[in-house]
Amino acid sequence: MSAPGRLVIVGLGPGEPHWLTPAARAALDGASDLIGYGPYLDRLGDLRPDQRRHASDNRVELERARHALTLAAEGRRVVVVSGGDPGVFAMAAAVFEAVEGGDPAWAGLDIHVEPGVTAMLAAAARAGAPLGGDFCAISLSDNLKPWEVLEKRLAAALSADFVICLYNPISRARPWQLGRALAIAREHRAPETPVIFARAVGRADEKLTVVPLAEAAGGLADMATLVIIGASTTRCVLRPAGERPWVYTPRSYGGGR
């Protein structure tokens, strides 16, 4: 009888190898099959001869999840690979959606999610402490939800004075959404509100830009960028000439300087 299968969903972190957690590393080392978006699997380098790589496109998340569950049901030790944290706009939700609507036997599988370092945490650490107060995360991709829903959520979060982390802010197929989101932000935030454009944090081409909301524009972002819009309490700490300011949001709301 073959050994029972297992499925672990891991995140690789934003970029730097040391942001991969030991638990995720152990899961990768113990896998017989690794499933994920091709560029994420490429970050793993060469696999052992006893490991199989199953790469797919980034718009087939449910198909990828069903493939992983099928292999696990056959007794394989499967790892589904995401970037960042697998539970934040990533593959963990797709796996459980596939379980809910799929083969009833899948509900009895050994499935684990290993937490990882999501992009907003890495970007915030580079910038200072912009997430020191209350914050929320919104994906600007309207591939899986209507843009009207996104606009309502943006307006509500801005009205509630959250710091907002925008995932998937722009792409070649979605060139205008970030500009519209920034226009909505300007209806609720002062022109001097800090906005952070964190591109490819943890990779060789990393770039972090801090600008006031009045100067924020879609052209400062691409598919590898995370955008953080400050709250009314978010501040910049000026540094020596030529140095990027530190950005932080105090934990005390409306506290004195």
Side-chain angles (χ1 to χ4, degrees):
M1 179 182 295
S2 62
R6 187 169 193 260
L7 192 156
V8 185
I9 312 154
V10 307
L12 302 182
E16 293 184 354
H18 65 254
W19 284 340
L20 177 67
T21 69
R25 179 74 267 173
L28 291 167
D29 290 342
S32 63
D33 296 78
L34 295 105
I35 295 178
Y37 177 40
Y40 293 154
L41 292 178
D42 290 343
R43 287 171 56 184
L44 299 176
D46 295 332
L47 303 183
R48 299 192 311 265
D50 63 325
Q51 292 181 310
R52 294 180 58 194
R53 183 191 310 253
H54 307 266
S56 54
D57 185 76
N58 66 338
R59 292 198 177 196
V60 293
E61 290 185 349
L62 272 177
E63 292 177 26
R64 187 184 307 144
R66 295 183 186 113
H67 184 200
L69 290 160
T70 299
L71 290 176
E74 294 172 355
R76 309 288 292 176
R77 300 181 313 280
V78 182
V79 170
V80 175
V81 176
S82 290
D85 177 286
V88 179
F89 304 123
M91 280 302 300
V95 168
F96 291 113
E97 182 178 352
V99 170
E100 183 183 30
D103 187 335
W106 288 349
L109 288 171
D110 183 6
I111 301 174
H112 291 270
V113 182
E114 292 294 350
V117 179
T118 187
M120 67 181 178
L121 300 182
R126 287 284 199 258
L131 307 184
D134 295 334
F135 65 90
C136 69
I138 296 175
S139 170
L140 279 192
S141 173
D142 58 355
N143 291 329
L144 299 175
K145 57 183 177 287
W147 177 254
E148 292 76 14
V149 170
L150 281 167
E151 285 212 7
K152 289 179 181 178
R153 291 178 179 175
L154 279 167
L158 287 159
S159 296
D161 204 17
F162 287 108
V163 173
I164 301 177
C165 302
L166 297 178
Y167 280 74
N168 307 309
I170 199 166
S171 72
R172 287 187 293 272
R174 299 181 292 101
W176 60 269
Q177 280 89 334
L178 178 56
R180 174 59 185 151
L182 292 170
I184 296 171
R186 283 190 278 269
E187 296 172 5
H188 297 267
R189 293 281 195 276
E192 64 272 17
T193 302
V195 180
I196 301 163
F197 292 83
R199 184 189 183 281
V201 173
R203 302 202 288 271
D205 54 344
E206 173 182 322
K207 183 178 181 181
L208 202 79
T209 304
V210 179
V211 298
L213 178 58
E215 299 177 16
L220 294 173
D222 63 10
M223 291 183 289
T225 305
L226 180 125
V227 180
I228 301 177
I229 302 173
S232 66
T233 56
T234 303
R235 305 171 185 167
C236 285
V237 178
L238 298 181
R239 301 174 69 201
E243 296 289 330
R244 187 182 65 245
W246 296 120
V247 182
Y248 83 103
T249 305
R251 293 177 63 191
S252 58
Y253 192 83
R257 293 181 183 274

